[in-house]
């Protein structure tokens, strides 16, 4: 495991984040910046802004750019991302991120029309991630700390896939990240 610093996260997002996100014309960096902008617009606070910015960063820190979902493999990127973020920002940032894939399974089980709004990529990975939650799983999920924050993050995640949207750049978030640092 590389020694991960806040600077490294910004570097990786700025360089490797230019790779495709599984959507035409939306890079990992676009997706991250749109997510962070939405969290800010919704007034969710600095820690959620940073959670949104880095929610998929595990891909960029540990893996190459291989799209494992396309090969039928669950990449568990939420765990890799959360483990990195826990050491740098604490659980208010890391735990919504850890649950952002489970939150998709939650929303698919809890809201009849949610699945239809998902991108093709998110639908494809859903089956690998365990499919919609059952009634029992829904209750278990919401009983966890940060479950509500994870659902908010997930809804942001789903909307942050707009080709060509103008949002603040990466540098906008450096001071926010430093303010959230617990390292
Ligand atoms: Fe993700
Ligand atoms: Fe995402």
């Amino acid at each position: 495991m590389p020694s991960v610093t806040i600077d490294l996260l910004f570097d990786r997002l700025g360089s490797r984040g230019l790779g495709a996100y599984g959507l035409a014309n939306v890079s990992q960096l676009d997706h991250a910046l749109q997510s962070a902008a939405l969290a800010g617009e919704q007034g969710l606070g600095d820690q959620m802004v940073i959670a949104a910015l880095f929610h998929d960063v595990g891909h960029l820190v540990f893996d190459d750019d291989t799209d494992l979902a396309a090969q039928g493999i669950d990449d568990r990127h939420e765990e890799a991302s959360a483990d990195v973020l826990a050491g740098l920002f604490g659980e208010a940032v890391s735990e919504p991120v850890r649950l952002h894939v489970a939150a998709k399974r939650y929303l698919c089980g809890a809201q009849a029309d949610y699945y239809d709004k998902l991108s093709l990529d998110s639908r494809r990975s859903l089956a690998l991630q365990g499919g919609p939650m059952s009634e029992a799983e829904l209750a278990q999920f919401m009983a966890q700390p940060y479950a509500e924050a994870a659902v908010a993050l997930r809804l942001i995640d789903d909307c942050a896939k707009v080709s060509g949207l103008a949002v603040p750049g990466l540098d906008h978030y450096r001071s926010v990240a430093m303010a959230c640092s617990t390292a």
Side-chain angles (χ1 to χ4, degrees):
M1 180 184 288
S3 135
V4 179
T5 60
I6 292 174
D7 280 342
L8 181 82
L9 298 189
F10 276 97
D11 285 353
R12 290 294 165 89
L13 206 47
S15 54
R16 292 184 54 188
L18 300 174
Y21 176 66
L23 294 158
N25 304 319
V26 181
S27 69
Q28 290 271 358
L29 177 58
D30 294 331
H31 177 58
L33 293 174
Q34 289 180 25
S35 297
L38 282 167
E41 284 164 22
Q42 293 180 15
L44 298 180
D46 285 353
Q47 287 169 313
M48 281 295 283
V49 168
I50 295 306
L53 183 68
F54 291 132
H55 75 276
D56 286 330
V57 85
H59 285 306
L60 304 176
V61 173
F62 296 110
D63 306 327
D64 57 27
D65 293 328
T66 310
D67 185 352
L68 292 174
Q71 300 172 29
I73 300 167
D74 178 7
D75 64 4
R76 306 286 299 164
H77 71 280
E78 69 278 24
E79 295 287 348
S81 303
D83 287 347
V84 164
L85 296 173
L88 298 171
F89 301 110
E91 61 182 26
V93 172
S94 66
E95 298 319 289
V97 170
R98 194 180 306 282
L99 294 176
H100 85 271
V101 170
K104 178 173 69 171
R105 296 186 53 230
Y106 169 84
L107 285 161
C108 285
Q111 297 182 10
D113 58 346
Y114 176 76
Y115 178 86
D116 296 333
K117 295 184 212 153
L118 288 176
S119 70
L120 221 62
D121 224 46
S122 290
R123 289 186 201 177
R124 190 172 54 185
S125 55
L126 176 70
L128 298 172
Q129 291 157 344
M133 285 186 178
S134 65
E135 285 293 330
E137 287 175 312
L138 293 176
Q140 269 173 17
F141 175 80
M142 281 316 278
Q144 297 174 97
Y146 301 106
E148 268 181 52
V151 170
L153 176 58
R154 182 70 223 183
L155 294 171
I156 284 171
D157 188 357
D158 295 327
C159 294
K161 302 177 179 182
V162 180
S163 175
L165 188 70
V167 288
L170 207 44
D171 281 342
H172 179 80
Y173 297 102
R174 287 185 192 269
S175 59
V176 184
M178 293 320 291
C180 293
S181 171
T182 55

